[in-house]
Amino acid sequence: MQVLIKTCSRICPQERVHLSELSALSEATAAVFIPRKQWFVVGDRDGNIKVCSDETMQQVKTFSAHSRPIYSLDVHPSEPYVLSVSLDDGTVKMWNWDMDWECVRTFDVATRVVKFNPKDADYFACVTFNGVKSLLINLLRSNLSKGFCHCVLHQSPGSDGLKFSFGSSEVRCLDYLSRGDDLYLITGDDDGSVEIWDWQSRSCLKTLKEHTAKVYTICAHPDLPLFITGSFDGTVCLWNSFTFE
Protein backbone atom coordinates (compact mmCIF):
# COMPACT_ATOMS: atom_id res chain seq x y z
CA MET A 1 0.00 0.00 0.00
CA GLN A 2 1.37 3.42 -0.92
CA VAL A 3 0.26 6.72 0.53
CA LEU A 4 1.22 10.02 -1.06
CA ILE A 5 2.09 12.49 1.67
CA LYS A 6 1.78 16.05 0.42
CA THR A 7 2.92 19.18 2.19
CA CYS A 8 3.60 22.80 1.33
CA SER A 9 6.41 22.96 3.87
CA ARG A 10 9.97 23.54 2.64
CA ILE A 11 11.21 21.54 5.61
CA CYS A 12 9.35 18.38 4.61
CA PRO A 13 8.94 18.19 0.81
CA GLN A 14 6.41 15.94 -0.84
CA GLU A 15 7.39 12.29 -0.65
CA ARG A 16 5.94 8.91 -1.45
CA VAL A 17 6.22 6.41 1.40
CA HIS A 18 5.45 2.72 1.28
CA LEU A 19 3.29 2.15 4.37
CA SER A 20 3.37 -1.62 4.66
CA GLU A 21 2.40 -1.18 8.29
CA LEU A 22 -1.07 -0.05 7.16
CA SER A 23 -1.68 -2.97 4.84
CA ALA A 24 -3.81 -4.77 7.47
CA LEU A 25 -6.43 -2.03 7.20
CA SER A 26 -9.32 -2.12 4.77
CA GLU A 27 -10.63 1.15 3.34
CA ALA A 28 -9.51 4.02 5.57
CA THR A 29 -12.50 6.05 6.76
CA ALA A 30 -11.12 8.38 9.47
CA ALA A 31 -7.77 9.74 10.61
CA VAL A 32 -6.41 12.08 13.25
CA PHE A 33 -3.01 13.27 14.53
CA ILE A 34 -1.87 13.09 18.16
CA PRO A 35 0.88 15.76 18.00
CA ARG A 36 2.13 15.39 21.57
CA LYS A 37 2.86 11.70 20.95
CA GLN A 38 3.98 12.17 17.31
CA TRP A 39 1.40 9.59 16.25
CA PHE A 40 -1.40 9.40 13.76
CA VAL A 41 -4.47 7.19 14.16
CA VAL A 42 -6.42 5.65 11.28
CA GLY A 43 -9.83 3.95 11.43
CA ASP A 44 -11.13 1.68 8.70
CA ARG A 45 -14.28 0.24 7.18
CA ASP A 46 -14.00 -2.98 9.21
CA GLY A 47 -13.89 -1.13 12.54
CA ASN A 48 -10.14 -1.47 13.10
CA ILE A 49 -7.86 1.23 14.51
CA LYS A 50 -4.16 1.46 13.69
CA VAL A 51 -1.75 3.79 15.48
CA CYS A 52 1.53 4.69 13.78
CA SER A 53 4.47 6.99 14.41
CA ASP A 54 4.36 10.00 12.10
CA GLU A 55 8.18 10.09 12.13
CA THR A 56 9.09 6.46 11.43
CA MET A 57 5.77 5.24 9.99
CA GLN A 58 6.11 2.21 12.23
CA GLN A 59 3.12 0.60 13.93
CA VAL A 60 2.46 1.47 17.56
CA LYS A 61 -0.77 -0.47 18.03
CA THR A 62 -3.50 -2.17 15.99
CA PHE A 63 -6.79 -3.35 17.43
CA SER A 64 -10.43 -4.05 16.64
CA ALA A 65 -12.46 -1.10 17.94
CA HIS A 66 -15.94 -1.52 16.42
CA SER A 67 -17.92 -4.18 14.62
CA ARG A 68 -18.79 -1.78 11.79
CA PRO A 69 -17.08 1.10 9.92
CA ILE A 70 -15.45 3.92 11.89
CA TYR A 71 -16.87 7.29 10.90
CA SER A 72 -14.92 9.73 13.06
CA LEU A 73 -12.01 10.09 15.50
CA ASP A 74 -11.11 12.88 17.91
CA VAL A 75 -8.34 13.45 20.46
CA HIS A 76 -8.74 14.92 23.95
CA PRO A 77 -6.68 18.15 24.21
CA SER A 78 -4.92 17.19 27.46
CA GLU A 79 -5.82 13.64 28.57
CA PRO A 80 -4.66 10.40 26.85
CA TYR A 81 -8.03 9.74 25.23
CA VAL A 82 -9.22 9.12 21.70
CA LEU A 83 -12.90 8.93 20.76
CA SER A 84 -13.96 6.63 17.94
CA VAL A 85 -17.38 6.58 16.29
CA SER A 86 -19.33 3.92 14.45
CA LEU A 87 -22.75 5.05 13.31
CA ASP A 88 -23.68 1.54 12.19
CA ASP A 89 -22.98 -0.19 15.52
CA GLY A 90 -24.46 2.76 17.44
CA THR A 91 -21.51 3.42 19.77
CA VAL A 92 -18.89 5.99 20.63
CA LYS A 93 -15.87 4.53 22.43
CA MET A 94 -13.14 6.24 24.42
CA TRP A 95 -9.66 4.71 24.36
CA ASN A 96 -6.83 5.41 26.82
CA TRP A 97 -3.41 5.09 25.22
CA ASP A 98 -1.68 5.19 28.65
CA MET A 99 -3.55 1.94 29.41
CA ASP A 100 -2.37 0.25 26.18
CA TRP A 101 -5.43 1.55 24.30
CA GLU A 102 -7.97 0.05 26.66
CA CYS A 103 -11.60 1.01 26.14
CA VAL A 104 -12.51 3.01 29.23
CA ARG A 105 -15.94 4.26 28.13
CA THR A 106 -18.66 3.14 25.74
CA PHE A 107 -21.46 5.55 24.88
CA ASP A 108 -24.63 4.11 23.35
CA VAL A 109 -25.30 6.86 20.83
CA ALA A 110 -25.67 6.68 17.05
CA THR A 111 -23.63 9.50 15.55
CA ARG A 112 -21.47 10.33 12.55
CA VAL A 113 -19.01 12.69 14.18
CA VAL A 114 -17.70 13.74 17.62
CA LYS A 115 -15.72 16.77 18.76
CA PHE A 116 -14.31 17.53 22.20
CA ASN A 117 -15.38 20.91 23.56
CA PRO A 118 -12.24 23.13 23.46
CA LYS A 119 -13.48 25.21 26.40
CA ASP A 120 -14.52 22.26 28.56
CA ALA A 121 -13.08 18.96 27.33
CA ASP A 122 -15.05 16.96 29.89
CA TYR A 123 -17.76 17.19 27.21
CA PHE A 124 -17.96 16.31 23.56
CA ALA A 125 -20.52 17.25 20.94
CA CYS A 126 -22.00 14.74 18.53
CA VAL A 127 -24.45 14.76 15.63
CA THR A 128 -27.39 12.42 16.24
CA PHE A 129 -30.64 11.75 14.39
CA ASN A 130 -32.29 14.11 16.89
CA GLY A 131 -29.85 16.97 16.37
CA VAL A 132 -26.67 17.88 18.23
CA LYS A 133 -26.01 16.69 21.77
CA SER A 134 -23.29 17.57 24.27
CA LEU A 135 -22.25 14.58 26.40
CA LEU A 136 -20.15 14.21 29.54
CA ILE A 137 -17.22 11.80 29.37
CA ASN A 138 -17.24 11.44 33.18
CA LEU A 139 -13.54 11.71 33.97
CA LEU A 140 -13.30 9.82 37.24
CA ARG A 141 -9.74 8.62 37.82
CA SER A 142 -10.81 5.96 40.33
CA ASN A 143 -13.19 4.43 37.77
CA LEU A 144 -10.65 4.64 34.97
CA SER A 145 -8.08 2.75 37.03
CA LYS A 146 -10.63 -0.03 37.48
CA GLY A 147 -11.18 -0.22 33.73
CA PHE A 148 -14.92 0.52 33.73
CA CYS A 149 -16.05 0.35 30.12
CA HIS A 150 -19.66 1.50 30.10
CA CYS A 151 -21.34 4.69 31.15
CA VAL A 152 -24.68 6.43 31.13
CA LEU A 153 -24.95 9.47 28.88
CA HIS A 154 -25.04 12.83 30.63
CA GLN A 155 -25.94 15.95 28.69
CA SER A 156 -24.16 19.16 29.53
CA PRO A 157 -25.70 21.31 32.28
CA GLY A 158 -28.81 23.13 31.17
CA SER A 159 -28.99 21.35 27.83
CA ASP A 160 -32.60 20.28 28.40
CA GLY A 161 -33.61 23.93 28.19
CA LEU A 162 -31.17 24.87 25.44
CA LYS A 163 -32.04 22.67 22.47
CA PHE A 164 -30.61 23.19 19.01
CA SER A 165 -33.43 23.69 16.49
CA PHE A 166 -32.29 22.64 13.04
CA GLY A 167 -35.59 22.72 11.15
CA SER A 168 -36.14 20.12 8.46
CA SER A 169 -32.55 19.73 7.22
CA GLU A 170 -30.43 16.96 8.70
CA VAL A 171 -27.06 17.89 10.21
CA ARG A 172 -24.11 15.99 8.72
CA CYS A 173 -21.02 17.45 10.40
CA LEU A 174 -19.82 19.94 12.97
CA ASP A 175 -16.84 21.62 14.56
CA TYR A 176 -16.23 24.05 17.40
CA LEU A 177 -14.95 27.57 16.82
CA SER A 178 -13.34 29.64 19.58
CA ARG A 179 -13.03 33.42 19.45
CA GLY A 180 -11.53 34.69 22.71
CA ASP A 181 -13.92 33.72 25.48
CA ASP A 182 -16.73 33.02 23.03
CA LEU A 183 -17.54 29.55 21.75
CA TYR A 184 -19.45 28.73 18.60
CA LEU A 185 -20.58 25.57 16.88
CA ILE A 186 -20.47 25.27 13.09
CA THR A 187 -22.81 22.73 11.51
CA GLY A 188 -23.10 21.46 7.95
CA ASP A 189 -26.51 20.34 6.68
CA ASP A 190 -28.02 18.10 4.02
CA ASP A 191 -29.44 21.10 2.15
CA GLY A 192 -25.95 22.60 1.68
CA SER A 193 -26.25 25.27 4.34
CA VAL A 194 -23.64 26.01 7.00
CA GLU A 195 -24.93 27.43 10.27
CA ILE A 196 -23.11 29.32 13.00
CA TRP A 197 -24.48 28.70 16.50
CA ASP A 198 -23.78 30.53 19.73
CA TRP A 199 -22.87 27.74 22.14
CA GLN A 200 -24.17 29.43 25.27
CA SER A 201 -27.63 30.35 23.98
CA ARG A 202 -27.93 27.60 21.33
CA SER A 203 -29.16 30.27 18.91
CA CYS A 204 -28.30 30.42 15.22
CA LEU A 205 -26.33 33.58 14.46
CA LYS A 206 -25.91 33.16 10.74
CA THR A 207 -26.67 30.76 7.89
CA LEU A 208 -24.13 30.53 5.07
CA LYS A 209 -25.41 29.55 1.63
CA GLU A 210 -22.58 28.72 -0.74
CA HIS A 211 -22.91 24.97 -1.20
CA THR A 212 -25.64 23.33 -3.29
CA ALA A 213 -25.40 19.79 -1.89
CA LYS A 214 -24.75 18.04 1.43
CA VAL A 215 -22.00 19.56 3.55
CA TYR A 216 -19.95 16.59 4.72
CA THR A 217 -16.94 18.09 6.44
CA ILE A 218 -16.06 21.16 8.51
CA CYS A 219 -12.71 22.06 10.03
CA ALA A 220 -11.84 25.17 12.04
CA HIS A 221 -8.20 26.30 11.99
CA PRO A 222 -6.66 25.93 15.49
CA ASP A 223 -4.81 29.26 15.36
CA LEU A 224 -5.99 31.42 12.46
CA PRO A 225 -9.48 32.97 12.06
CA LEU A 226 -10.42 30.53 9.31
CA PHE A 227 -12.55 27.46 8.76
CA ILE A 228 -13.23 25.26 5.75
CA THR A 229 -16.33 23.42 4.58
CA GLY A 230 -16.55 20.66 2.00
CA SER A 231 -19.61 19.52 0.09
CA PHE A 232 -20.86 16.78 -2.22
CA ASP A 233 -21.25 19.51 -4.84
CA GLY A 234 -17.48 19.23 -5.37
CA THR A 235 -16.57 22.53 -3.71
CA VAL A 236 -14.51 23.47 -0.67
CA CYS A 237 -15.08 26.91 0.86
CA LEU A 238 -12.61 28.84 3.01
CA TRP A 239 -14.36 31.17 5.47
CA ASN A 240 -13.31 34.09 7.67
CA SER A 241 -14.39 33.17 11.18
CA PHE A 242 -14.77 36.81 12.25
CA THR A 243 -16.98 38.02 9.40
CA PHE A 244 -18.34 34.56 8.38
CA GLU A 245 -17.72 35.48 4.75
Side-chain angles (χ1 to χ4, degrees), residues 9-94:
S9 170
R10 296 179 181 177
I11 298 174
C12 181
Q14 177 178 309
E15 56 179 325
R16 186 178 295 272
V17 182
H18 184 73
L19 297 182
S20 59
E21 301 294 343
L22 295 182
S23 60
L25 293 177
S26 64
E27 301 172 29
T29 53
V32 68
F33 280 105
I34 307 179
R36 61 187 183 273
K37 299 295 290 185
Q38 296 181 309
W39 293 341
F40 64 91
V41 182
V42 181
D44 76 2
R45 192 173 181 83
D46 291 334
N48 301 309
I49 285 178
K50 179 153 284 198
V51 186
C52 291
S53 165
D54 60 23
E55 288 192 324
T56 67
M57 301 299 175
Q58 297 300 305
Q59 172 185 305
V60 175
K61 181 79 173 181
T62 301
F63 57 96
S64 177
H66 294 269
S67 61
R68 303 296 296 275
I70 293 173
Y71 278 65
S72 174
L73 298 163
D74 199 31
V75 180
H76 194 283
S78 58
E79 300 290 344
Y81 306 135
V82 171
L83 290 175
S84 64
V85 174
S86 177
L87 173 66
D88 297 332
D89 75 8
T91 64
V92 175
K93 294 184 179 182
M94 188 167 73

Side-chain angles (χ1 to χ4, degrees), residues 4-241:
L4 182 63
I5 300 177
K6 294 185 177 180
T7 176
C8 296
S9 170
R10 296 179 181 177
I11 298 174
C12 181
Q14 177 178 309
E15 56 179 325
R16 186 178 295 272
V17 182
H18 184 73
L19 297 182
S20 59
E21 301 294 343
L22 295 182
S23 60
L25 293 177
S26 64
E27 301 172 29
T29 53
V32 68
F33 280 105
I34 307 179
R36 61 187 183 273
K37 299 295 290 185
Q38 296 181 309
W39 293 341
F40 64 91
V41 182
V42 181
D44 76 2
R45 192 173 181 83
D46 291 334
N48 301 309
I49 285 178
K50 179 153 284 198
V51 186
C52 291
S53 165
D54 60 23
E55 288 192 324
T56 67
M57 301 299 175
Q58 297 300 305
Q59 172 185 305
V60 175
K61 181 79 173 181
T62 301
F63 57 96
S64 177
H66 294 269
S67 61
R68 303 296 296 275
I70 293 173
Y71 278 65
S72 174
L73 298 163
D74 199 31
V75 180
H76 194 283
S78 58
E79 300 290 344
Y81 306 135
V82 171
L83 290 175
S84 64
V85 174
S86 177
L87 173 66
D88 297 332
D89 75 8
T91 64
V92 175
K93 294 184 179 182
M94 188 167 73
W95 309 90
N96 185 329
W97 66 72
D98 280 351
M99 298 173 65
D100 194 29
W101 292 92
E102 181 177 348
C103 178
V104 292
R105 290 288 185 272
T106 296
F107 302 85
D108 294 323
V109 57
T111 180
R112 298 183 182 91
V113 61
V114 290
K115 288 288 182 179
F116 279 109
N117 186 327
K119 297 291 188 182
D120 184 358
D122 285 355
Y123 293 91
F124 66 88
C126 60
V127 174
T128 73
F129 293 111
N130 296 316
V132 173
K133 291 184 179 180
S134 178
L135 305 176
L136 175 67
I137 64 174
N138 224 4
L139 288 174
L140 299 177
R141 301 300 186 276
S142 60
N143 285 351
L144 290 177
S145 65
K146 296 174 184 176
F148 290 174
C149 293
H150 195 86
C151 83
V152 177
L153 296 180
H154 298 278
Q155 294 192 9
S156 58
S159 62
D160 288 342
L162 293 171
K163 300 285 187 182
F164 287 93
S165 299
F166 294 104
S168 59
S169 183
E170 186 175 352
V171 178
R172 286 280 166 180
C173 54
L174 59 79
D175 200 3
Y176 284 102
L177 173 67
S178 296
R179 291 196 325 197
D181 294 332
D182 297 325
L183 184 63
Y184 304 90
L185 192 72
I186 315 169
T187 61
D189 301 350
D190 270 2
D191 64 3
S193 62
V194 175
E195 294 177 312
I196 312 298
W197 299 81
D198 180 84
W199 181 252
Q200 185 63 34
S201 67
R202 270 56 166 184
S203 59
C204 183
L205 303 179
K206 192 164 186 177
T207 299
L208 312 177
K209 293 281 191 179
E210 288 291 332
H211 296 293
T212 58
K214 296 176 182 178
V215 179
Y216 244 71
T217 186
I218 294 174
C219 183
H221 195 286
D223 302 311
L224 299 178
L226 300 169
F227 67 93
I228 56 175
T229 58
S231 168
F232 270 22
D233 64 9
T235 64
V236 174
C237 292
L238 180 65
W239 302 90
N240 183 312
S241 59

